[in-house]
Amino acid sequence: MFDKEYDVVVVGGGHAGSEAAAAAANLGCSTLLITMNLQNIAQMSCNPAMGGIAKGQIVREIDALGGYSGIVSDRSAIQFKMLNKSKGPAMWSPRVQSDRMRFAEEWRLLLEQTENLDFYQDMVAGLLIENNNVCGVRTSLGLEVKAKTVVLTNGTFLNGLIHIGEKQFGGGRAGERAATGITEQLIDLGFDAGRMKTGTPPRVDGRSLDYSKMTEQPGDEQPEKFSYSDLSTTLIKQRSCYMTYTSSVVHDLLREGFDRSPMFNGRIKSIGPRYCPSIEDKINRFADKDRHQMFIEPEGWDTVEVYVNGFSTSLPEDVQFKALRSVVGFEKVKFFRPGYAIEYDYFPPTQLTHTLETKLLSGLFFAGQINGTTGYEEAASQGLIAGINAALKVKEKESFVLKRSEAYIGVLIDDLITKGTEEPYRMFTSRAEYRTLLRQDNADFRLTPKSHVIGLASDKRMKRMEEKRKKADDFVQFFKETSISPNEVNPVLEQKNSSPIKQSGKLFKLFARPQIVLDDIKHLDKISKYIQENNLDKEVLEQTEIQVKYSGYIEKEKNNADKLSRLENIKIPKDFDYTKLKSLSYEACEKMTKIRPATISQASRISGVSPSDISVLLVYMGR
């Protein structure tokens, strides 16, 4: 079976591994996905949901590039919500509640239908290396698989250690063994490694909960979807989530177990996610709060299993149970499984290039939690980029890199390889300096053309995007060219407490008023007629409205991004000797020598590199 040499071997079948394998295979490379349990491909190890603030933008970007996460999320969704609708469109973030079992099933079926992709169940225990080039993997059964490139997406499995109170045992996920061998080999080869922690809450029996005591959280009345393609549809029916709160009584019961908590007794030594803390961490850090939100999320259409979002914990199971029974609506709760924490190995991502290839070993790529990130979406996006670049390397084509001004994925990867991370990295809209450009609604405009060039986004996707863009651009032009009289529009303006017009004016200027939205004026004869004649759908209408209302902000950010791109175009040689620039600060010299920035722009984002250091570099590169 393994006589042939594969173009790409992907190690691990989580969100990163699934996207990496699909991308490489769809780009025409012979690809092998090796994972420890084929039944658990694309398992949602923690919450049954995709998207959310900034994460939803990433899923849209993955879809625009030709990845599968958006399609799978749509097909397995049980609820859709567009978050932050009360804010500007740069903050709007799509999110779906998922059917956990169907999500994994959809991924498995999509992968099995992907040409050029083979599967094998085994643990990869080491890499095959010749002359600083990866040339394959070795499994725990002793099999050697030759490969031109290897993508490691090991998740939480590298020397994973699970904690529940004072009990601890090896494992990469509850009920699954840890992976060993790879960390030790990479350290011997000169890689730096570290440990991180994450956690998950208990799962409970929904039949034992009293939802009448909780606040219902329904989905959107008019649900949308993630994928820009026609391979998925919007939801017709939805399941509700529910919200309840902890209390001071719950907190006191939890504190009783602090002496047995691995977080507080020193058993857990690694750093957990700052923005998704455990319940014990929350009541310890925010002692002034007498309650915390809990979201009760169904695990699927038909199952009674429920995910208790907001109650992540590694306290002893008896403490978890006792405290949860004091939560409103949980008085008779039954556990399916307790929450736990898990420690695992990761490799500081400053050891990678923008393609996610390691600097030390040619042909070796890292993606997902091995790079210190947290979250399905962050992992999937890295897997996609690593899979693309592994395939392009095999084909000896130019690498695929997204700039910070082009995608949240570009921000994520640049943050990781330039700044590194000492805690699990999570994406937020605030991390993107050009978030008005990087909206969830225009991901296909931004990225589908780039993906189409390399052959991942299909001709059909490209044509669909171009039609949508033309319709939106034409509609914007219609607003710029069409005039409207006071008689036609003043009744609407008065109703919206907006100043009436005294003479005819262009619709664009009128529509740009903050009080006026498209729903207020789309019934006007001229606009209504245009919409009907051109068969404009919701996506085009939304795109047009954003382009009209935020045109000034968008133009300003484009100008700022253009200025930045000038620095992106000034390359720094790979083997550049920073010590010969005597005017550089010692810290700048040290950090740039270690990180090896590819451009002046990347160098400017390294912590400790000052504007004067950049000036010195610019003068030298100018010469």
Side-chain angles (χ1 to χ4, degrees), residues 562-577:
D562 288 343
K563 289 175 187 173
L564 178 77
S565 70
R566 291 170 205 158
L567 293 182
E568 291 282 5
N569 293 331
I570 304 175
K571 309 286 185 189
I572 302 175
K574 280 184 182 179
D575 56 351
F576 186 73
D577 181 7

Side-chain angles (χ1 to χ4, degrees), residues 535-579:
N535 193 25
L536 304 186
D537 60 20
K538 187 180 177 184
E539 277 188 28
V540 173
L541 297 181
E542 181 182 83
Q543 189 61 226
T544 303
E545 183 160 20
I546 291 169
Q547 285 188 37
V548 172
K549 287 205 159 301
Y550 295 89
S551 57
Y553 299 101
I554 293 169
E555 200 56 42
K556 186 178 179 182
E557 277 206 358
K558 276 183 181 172
N559 291 335
N560 289 339
D562 288 343
K563 289 175 187 173
L564 178 77
S565 70
R566 291 170 205 158
L567 293 182
E568 291 282 5
N569 293 331
I570 304 175
K571 309 286 185 189
I572 302 175
K574 280 184 182 179
D575 56 351
F576 186 73
D577 181 7
Y578 292 95
T579 59

Side-chain angles (χ1 to χ4, degrees), residues 332-371:
K332 296 180 180 179
V333 71
K334 293 179 181 179
F335 267 29
F336 270 20
R337 37 192 164 146
Y340 62 88
I342 181 167
E343 290 185 286
Y344 55 93
D345 295 338
Y346 85 105
F347 292 85
T350 50
Q351 300 171 99
L352 306 174
T353 68
H354 275 95
T355 64
L356 297 181
E357 186 177 17
T358 65
K359 295 172 183 174
L360 276 176
L361 288 178
S362 178
L364 178 63
F365 296 78
F366 290 172
Q369 284 173 287
I370 193 172
N371 290 336

Side-chain angles (χ1 to χ4, degrees), residues 2 120 122 128 137-145:
F2 297 126
Y120 192 68
D122 199 351
L128 305 178
V137 298
R138 185 182 65 258
T139 76
S140 60
L141 292 176
L143 297 170
E144 292 193 350
V145 185

Side-chain angles (χ1 to χ4, degrees), residues 29 71 79 96 127 177 187 222 255 297 332 335 376 402 406 458 485 533 553 595 610 613 619-620:
C29 287
I71 296 165
Q79 186 196 85
V96 295
L127 302 169
R177 63 178 175 150
I187 289 173
Q222 293 182 300
R255 287 189 186 97
E297 303 178 344
K332 296 180 180 179
F335 267 29
Y376 308 144
L402 295 172
E406 293 174 331
S458 66
S485 68
E533 286 180 350
Y553 299 101
I595 292 171
S610 69
D613 294 320
V619 169
Y620 185 85

Side-chain angles (χ1 to χ4, degrees), residues 351-591:
Q351 300 171 99
L352 306 174
T353 68
H354 275 95
T355 64
L356 297 181
E357 186 177 17
T358 65
K359 295 172 183 174
L360 276 176
L361 288 178
S362 178
L364 178 63
F365 296 78
F366 290 172
Q369 284 173 287
I370 193 172
N371 290 336
T373 60
T374 181
Y376 308 144
E377 303 82 1
E378 289 89 342
S381 66
Q382 293 172 70
L384 180 68
I385 298 301
I388 288 172
N389 281 306
L392 293 176
K393 186 179 182 74
V394 169
K395 293 171 175 286
E396 298 182 349
K397 292 184 177 179
E398 188 179 346
S399 57
F400 186 80
V401 173
L402 295 172
K403 298 176 185 175
R404 295 181 72 90
S405 58
E406 293 174 331
Y408 272 91
I409 298 173
V411 174
L412 165 71
I413 292 173
D414 185 68
D415 275 355
L416 289 173
I417 72 162
T418 302
K419 301 172 184 175
T421 186
E422 294 178 354
E423 62 186 45
Y425 178 102
R426 178 180 176 177
M427 179 52 73
F428 287 102
T429 49
S430 58
R431 295 192 190 271
E433 55 270 55
Y434 303 114
R435 55 186 171 273
T436 305
L437 301 180
L438 310 183
R439 306 182 310 276
Q440 56 83 31
D441 61 272
N442 70 351
D444 54 344
F445 291 177
R446 292 185 276 119
L447 301 177
T448 299
K450 294 179 180 297
S451 184
H452 185 254
V453 167
I454 63 170
L456 189 56
S458 66
D459 293 342
K460 187 178 179 182
R461 272 183 176 263
M462 188 65 182
K463 185 181 177 185
R464 189 183 180 94
M465 182 279 297
E466 286 173 337
E467 287 174 354
K468 175 184 162 187
R469 178 153 60 189
K470 185 176 188 314
K471 282 186 175 182
D473 289 347
D474 288 349
F475 199 22
V476 170
Q477 199 59 34
F478 165 81
F479 278 98
K480 288 179 177 178
E481 293 173 352
T482 306
S483 297
I484 194 158
S485 68
N487 291 341
E488 292 175 280
V489 78
N490 277 346
V492 173
L493 298 179
E494 287 165 10
Q495 191 180 357
K496 300 299 292 185
N497 293 321
S498 186
S499 301
I501 59 173
K502 294 178 181 177
Q503 59 187 40
S504 295
K506 298 297 183 189
L507 274 171
F508 188 92
K509 189 175 180 183
L510 185 81
F511 191 16
R513 292 187 181 189
Q515 307 96 322
I516 307 300
V517 297
L518 186 56
D519 280 346
D520 299 326
I521 58 175
K522 70 180 183 183
H523 67 277
L524 298 176
D525 288 344
K526 290 176 181 175
I527 300 174
S528 175
K529 184 181 177 185
Y530 186 94
I531 291 172
Q532 288 176 14
E533 286 180 350
N534 292 278
N535 193 25
L536 304 186
D537 60 20
K538 187 180 177 184
E539 277 188 28
V540 173
L541 297 181
E542 181 182 83
Q543 189 61 226
T544 303
E545 183 160 20
I546 291 169
Q547 285 188 37
V548 172
K549 287 205 159 301
Y550 295 89
S551 57
Y553 299 101
I554 293 169
E555 200 56 42
K556 186 178 179 182
E557 277 206 358
K558 276 183 181 172
N559 291 335
N560 289 339
D562 288 343
K563 289 175 187 173
L564 178 77
S565 70
R566 291 170 205 158
L567 293 182
E568 291 282 5
N569 293 331
I570 304 175
K571 309 286 185 189
I572 302 175
K574 280 184 182 179
D575 56 351
F576 186 73
D577 181 7
Y578 292 95
T579 59
K580 66 185 179 185
L581 301 185
K582 303 303 179 188
S583 301
L584 275 185
S585 68
Y586 179 78
E587 184 179 5
C589 182
E590 186 181 63
K591 288 189 173 178

